[in-house]
Amino acid sequence: MKVMIMGIDGYIGWPLALRLLREGHEVTGIDNFYTRRRVREVHSESALPISSMEKRIAEVGKRGLGDIKFFRGDVSNSEKMHEAIKSTEPDAVVHLAEQRSAPYSMMGLRQAKETMVKNIVSTINLIYEVKDQVPDCHILKLGTMGEYGTPNIDIPEGFFDIEYRGRKDRLPFPKNAGSWYHWTKVHDTNNLMFANRVWELSVTDVMQGVVYGTRTEDIIYPALFTRFDTDEVWGTALNRFCAQAVAGIPITPYGKGNQARGFLSLEDSVSCLALGIRKPPERGEYRVYNQFDEYYTVNYLAETVQQVYHQETGKNAEIKHIENPRVELEDHYYHPENQKLKDLGYRRKRELRQEVSIILKDLEKYRDRILKHRESIIPKTLWKA
Ligand code: USQ
């Protein structure tokens, strides 16, 4: 299949490209290096060193892993989007090219607007290009589990059956996001559902949990590393906890730390996306998966990192609860479903502790890079500011 990855330079985009090449797909990528720039702005960098896209592609070619065609450009620019789709005519497009940080979107009006425009416009650009040029193309769009929020009832996969005043219907599950970023994903979902209804586009809307890990089966040596962020804006919970342990600074559950989220490893994320490509929806179908492996509380993850770190090194990592910079429930019911991917054939590859051990070992070699940017790890972005 001809697959285009929007956001090929990102944490998930790059390993997905490696996986799709190995599975024999023709891979095209587009990226404007937005995340690299924005991470530099918060005085941080990827803890694992990554080379330029040119060098990455050359490395892949040299090792005989395949050819990647690359477009440099911003997908919220409709001309760039048009050009990329026109010259590629993909069978499937994976859209990972959105501003992905909740804290970034909460910094102020400029960042909130930027997140709204980049995210919603890139998806509407893609919808129109697919409708006009490649109507049979499968759109696989990265949404987020955070679209649902933390309701006091079970979370189904996209839709649920409801009875109200004696009548029944099957409706989209109510959304209740916790940042401007997460709301943009809700708006994307609405737009994709509508595009599917009107033009019968084939869509997979992936409600993904928080991803962790340094490796996939394809990242077998450092020249193939994907980025790994540790700062308060671009780093995510478990990855940050591992970096904090390795750097000898306290692990930071926010508030009480009883807040739960769905999590999955980078390997599982890439496997699931590749599975979604291999097994597309029916023509004209809109399908939703909840893409996570297990749900955990932040405290459980902090303690797991502490225990694994002690086992591996004999050293103690400190856990220090800090005031929650976000507005979120810290004690709540959480029970999302994730049956659909299992039905398609998804099975987790490694246990949480094994994965944490791999992350810790990888980061140990780059401890100095984490420490160099230690100021950027402490939360400064406050939801209420
Ligand atoms: N948290 C801590 N300590 C930290 C960092 C985070 O306790 O040092 C807590 C947060 O308060 C939150 C939870 O961990 O309750 C998750 O936060 P996160 O920063 O790991 O993830 P989040 O901001 O929700 O966003 C990330 C990705 C985003 C993706 C989302 C999936 O950045 O792109 O959509 O995970 S989900 O969380 O399921 O919505």
mmCIF file of all heavy atoms in Angstrom, residues 34 42 69 102 168 176 258 288 295 346 380:
data_model
loop_
_atom_site.group_PDB
_atom_site.id
_atom_site.type_symbol
_atom_site.label_atom_id
_atom_site.label_comp_id
_atom_site.label_asym_id
_atom_site.label_seq_id
_atom_site.Cartn_x
_atom_site.Cartn_y
_atom_site.Cartn_z
ATOM 1 N N TYR A 34 7.933 21.118 13.517
ATOM 2 C CA TYR A 34 7.292 21.972 14.528
ATOM 3 C C TYR A 34 7.725 21.567 15.946
ATOM 4 O O TYR A 34 8.086 22.412 16.758
ATOM 5 C CB TYR A 34 5.777 21.826 14.345
ATOM 6 C CG TYR A 34 4.925 22.520 15.371
ATOM 7 C CD1 TYR A 34 4.506 23.829 15.164
ATOM 8 C CD2 TYR A 34 4.521 21.868 16.539
ATOM 9 C CE1 TYR A 34 3.705 24.462 16.093
ATOM 10 C CE2 TYR A 34 3.727 22.503 17.473
ATOM 11 C CZ TYR A 34 3.320 23.801 17.249
ATOM 12 O OH TYR A 34 2.540 24.429 18.181
ATOM 13 N N VAL A 42 11.338 25.776 24.807
ATOM 14 C CA VAL A 42 11.224 25.621 26.264
ATOM 15 C C VAL A 42 12.570 25.181 26.858
ATOM 16 O O VAL A 42 12.627 24.614 27.943
ATOM 17 C CB VAL A 42 10.071 24.665 26.685
ATOM 18 C CG1 VAL A 42 8.724 25.243 26.297
ATOM 19 C CG2 VAL A 42 10.231 23.264 26.102
ATOM 20 N N LYS A 69 9.957 8.773 0.879
ATOM 21 C CA LYS A 69 9.832 10.033 0.138
ATOM 22 C C LYS A 69 9.362 11.081 1.149
ATOM 23 O O LYS A 69 8.420 10.824 1.908
ATOM 24 C CB LYS A 69 8.787 9.829 -0.956
ATOM 25 C CG LYS A 69 8.761 10.923 -1.981
ATOM 26 C CD LYS A 69 7.914 10.461 -3.165
ATOM 27 C CE LYS A 69 7.263 11.649 -3.830
ATOM 28 N NZ LYS A 69 6.109 11.288 -4.642
ATOM 29 N N ALA A 102 -0.781 19.126 25.760
ATOM 30 C CA ALA A 102 -1.836 19.792 26.534
ATOM 31 C C ALA A 102 -1.275 21.041 27.234
ATOM 32 O O ALA A 102 -1.858 22.126 27.128
ATOM 33 C CB ALA A 102 -2.452 18.811 27.531
ATOM 34 N N LYS A 168 -34.954 5.278 22.423
ATOM 35 C CA LYS A 168 -33.584 4.773 22.412
ATOM 36 C C LYS A 168 -32.834 5.264 21.186
ATOM 37 O O LYS A 168 -33.431 5.455 20.121
ATOM 38 C CB LYS A 168 -33.606 3.237 22.359
ATOM 39 C CG LYS A 168 -34.099 2.592 23.623
ATOM 40 C CD LYS A 168 -34.054 1.090 23.466
ATOM 41 C CE LYS A 168 -34.668 0.447 24.706
ATOM 42 N NZ LYS A 168 -34.922 -0.961 24.528
ATOM 43 N N ASN A 176 -15.577 15.300 27.112
ATOM 44 C CA ASN A 176 -15.361 16.246 28.207
ATOM 45 C C ASN A 176 -13.862 16.420 28.431
ATOM 46 O O ASN A 176 -13.309 15.958 29.433
ATOM 47 C CB ASN A 176 -16.063 15.727 29.468
ATOM 48 C CG ASN A 176 -16.314 16.840 30.453
ATOM 49 O OD1 ASN A 176 -15.964 18.004 30.194
ATOM 50 N ND2 ASN A 176 -16.893 16.507 31.585
ATOM 51 N N ASN A 258 -3.763 10.041 42.170
ATOM 52 C CA ASN A 258 -4.704 8.921 41.946
ATOM 53 C C ASN A 258 -5.407 9.029 40.596
ATOM 54 O O ASN A 258 -6.268 8.209 40.287
ATOM 55 C CB ASN A 258 -5.765 8.872 43.049
ATOM 56 C CG ASN A 258 -5.134 8.475 44.367
ATOM 57 O OD1 ASN A 258 -4.204 7.670 44.387
ATOM 58 N ND2 ASN A 258 -5.620 9.045 45.464
ATOM 59 N N VAL A 288 -14.109 3.762 15.428
ATOM 60 C CA VAL A 288 -13.365 4.356 16.546
ATOM 61 C C VAL A 288 -12.752 3.238 17.370
ATOM 62 O O VAL A 288 -13.451 2.281 17.721
ATOM 63 C CB VAL A 288 -14.313 5.165 17.480
ATOM 64 C CG1 VAL A 288 -13.535 5.815 18.612
ATOM 65 C CG2 VAL A 288 -15.078 6.201 16.695
ATOM 66 N N TYR A 295 -4.977 0.621 31.965
ATOM 67 C CA TYR A 295 -5.015 1.926 32.626
ATOM 68 C C TYR A 295 -4.386 1.821 34.003
ATOM 69 O O TYR A 295 -4.507 0.791 34.675
ATOM 70 C CB TYR A 295 -6.409 2.548 32.677
ATOM 71 C CG TYR A 295 -7.539 1.630 33.028
ATOM 72 C CD1 TYR A 295 -7.943 1.477 34.346
ATOM 73 C CD2 TYR A 295 -8.222 0.941 32.035
ATOM 74 C CE1 TYR A 295 -9.006 0.642 34.660
ATOM 75 C CE2 TYR A 295 -9.274 0.101 32.350
ATOM 76 C CZ TYR A 295 -9.656 -0.051 33.656
ATOM 77 O OH TYR A 295 -10.693 -0.880 33.977
ATOM 78 N N TYR A 346 -4.795 -7.351 18.111
ATOM 79 C CA TYR A 346 -3.742 -6.726 18.919
ATOM 80 C C TYR A 346 -3.476 -7.514 20.208
ATOM 81 O O TYR A 346 -4.402 -7.881 20.924
ATOM 82 C CB TYR A 346 -4.127 -5.285 19.276
ATOM 83 C CG TYR A 346 -3.370 -4.747 20.465
ATOM 84 C CD1 TYR A 346 -2.003 -4.521 20.392
ATOM 85 C CD2 TYR A 346 -4.016 -4.497 21.681
ATOM 86 C CE1 TYR A 346 -1.295 -4.057 21.498
ATOM 87 C CE2 TYR A 346 -3.323 -4.033 22.784
ATOM 88 C CZ TYR A 346 -1.962 -3.816 22.693
ATOM 89 O OH TYR A 346 -1.270 -3.367 23.781
ATOM 90 N N LYS A 380 5.836 24.509 35.063
ATOM 91 C CA LYS A 380 5.664 25.966 35.187
ATOM 92 C C LYS A 380 4.347 26.385 34.545
ATOM 93 O O LYS A 380 3.854 27.473 34.774
ATOM 94 C CB LYS A 380 6.802 26.696 34.458
ATOM 95 C CG LYS A 380 8.170 26.470 35.067
ATOM 96 C CD LYS A 380 9.266 27.056 34.183
ATOM 97 C CE LYS A 380 10.607 26.403 34.429
ATOM 98 N NZ LYS A 380 10.693 24.995 34.035
#
